[in-house]
């Protein structure tokens, strides 16, 4: 009933693990270290911005790897999604949660970049920041929320991934397909 997709699963899981773990470490470690060492708002923002900026390319690669793995697994399991009761619903939930995590990640990076520019001593950055004035208190509040939203959302993806794993057990596949067939048969009988 199922075939192996080890490469796709590895991409899916490793990308998600890095996305979740890196965002959680950043929210806990980078931000706390910056607050402990910064002393002033500007120094704290610069330290945190430097840490997050170093993580950004790794995070982008992790997200890309996860999305490639996810897309490949969806294609490989399309028949199961269509025929096994419950799989389509969990797949839709997982897709929606992925979209929310992507949006939160992108918004956090936009806010982080704005704070990075606002706290910089570089004349070019100061000039760019002046072109787009920023309420730094409000931006930092939003950023703090987003930096906690990302690990919460990606943690939810890990839970849904566990559900998908359970749904892929042979006994679950058989039960799900039988339930789907009975549901469709009773629906068909009512219609005719």
């Amino acid at each position: 009933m199922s075939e192996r997709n080890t490469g796709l699963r590895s991409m899916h899981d490793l990308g998600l693990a890095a996305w979740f773990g890196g965002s959680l470490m950043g929210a806990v470690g980078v931000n706390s270290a910056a607050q402990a060492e910064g002393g002033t708002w500007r120094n704290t923002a610069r330290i945190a911005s430097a840490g997050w900026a170093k993580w950004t390319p790794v995070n982008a690669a992790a997200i890309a790897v996860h999305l490639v793995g996810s897309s490949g697994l969806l294609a490989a399991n399309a028949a199961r999604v269509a025929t096994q009761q419950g799989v389509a619903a969990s797949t839709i939930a997982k897709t929606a949660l992925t979209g929310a995590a992507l949006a939160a990640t992108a918004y956090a990076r936009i806010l982080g970049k704005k704070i990075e520019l606002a706290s910089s001593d570089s004349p070019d950055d100061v000039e760019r920041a002046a072109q787009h004035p920023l309420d730094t208190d409000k931006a930092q509040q939003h950023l703090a929320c987003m930096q906690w939203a990302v690990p919460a959302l990606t943690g939810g993806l890990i839970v849904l991934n566990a559900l998908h794993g359970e749904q892929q057990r042979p006994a679950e596949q058989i039960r799900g397909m039988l339930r789907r067939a009975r549901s469709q048969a009773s629906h068909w009988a009512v219609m005719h």
Side-chain angles (χ1 to χ4, degrees):
M1 269 192 203
S2 64
E3 58 187 58
R4 291 183 179 226
N5 301 108
T6 306
L8 292 171
R9 283 185 197 289
S10 297
M11 292 175 73
H12 173 279
D13 293 353
L14 289 170
L16 182 56
W19 189 7
F20 168 77
S23 63
L24 183 60
M25 190 288 302
V28 173
V30 171
N31 293 347
S32 296
Q35 287 176 340
E37 297 298 319
T40 66
W41 175 86
R42 184 175 296 272
N43 287 340
T44 299
R46 271 197 296 241
I47 293 167
S49 293
W52 283 103
K54 293 285 186 188
W55 172 245
T56 296
V58 175
N59 195 42
I63 292 168
V65 165
H66 170 69
L67 293 175
V68 168
S70 294
S71 299
L73 286 174
L74 181 59
N77 289 297
R80 198 169 63 81
V81 172
T83 60
Q84 184 181 347
Q85 189 169 14
V87 176
S90 61
T91 299
I92 291 167
K94 195 171 175 188
T95 302
L97 207 53
T98 300
L102 287 167
T105 300
Y107 185 51
R109 184 61 191 135
I110 290 166
L111 290 171
K113 191 63 177 171
K114 288 180 178 183
I115 290 170
E116 181 182 332
L117 291 173
S119 65
S120 178
D121 287 333
S122 162
D124 290 340
D125 289 347
V126 170
E127 184 179 319
R128 285 174 42 200
Q131 292 173 357
H132 305 283
L134 177 69
D135 178 346
T136 55
D137 289 338
K138 189 174 181 179
Q140 286 218 254
Q141 288 172 351
H142 288 190
L143 180 59
C145 288
M146 289 300 101
Q147 287 175 337
W148 283 104
V150 174
L153 292 165
T154 52
L157 287 171
I158 291 169
V159 171
L160 286 173
N161 190 46
L163 173 63
H164 272 197
E166 292 297 315
Q167 289 174 327
Q168 209 160 8
R169 292 173 182 238
E172 286 295 314
Q173 288 185 44
I174 292 168
R175 269 195 293 276
M177 289 177 195
L178 289 174
R179 280 193 299 257
R180 169 79 78 169
R182 272 185 292 214
S183 173
Q184 288 178 342
S186 65
H187 179 71
W188 188 80
V190 169
M191 298 300 286
H192 295 298

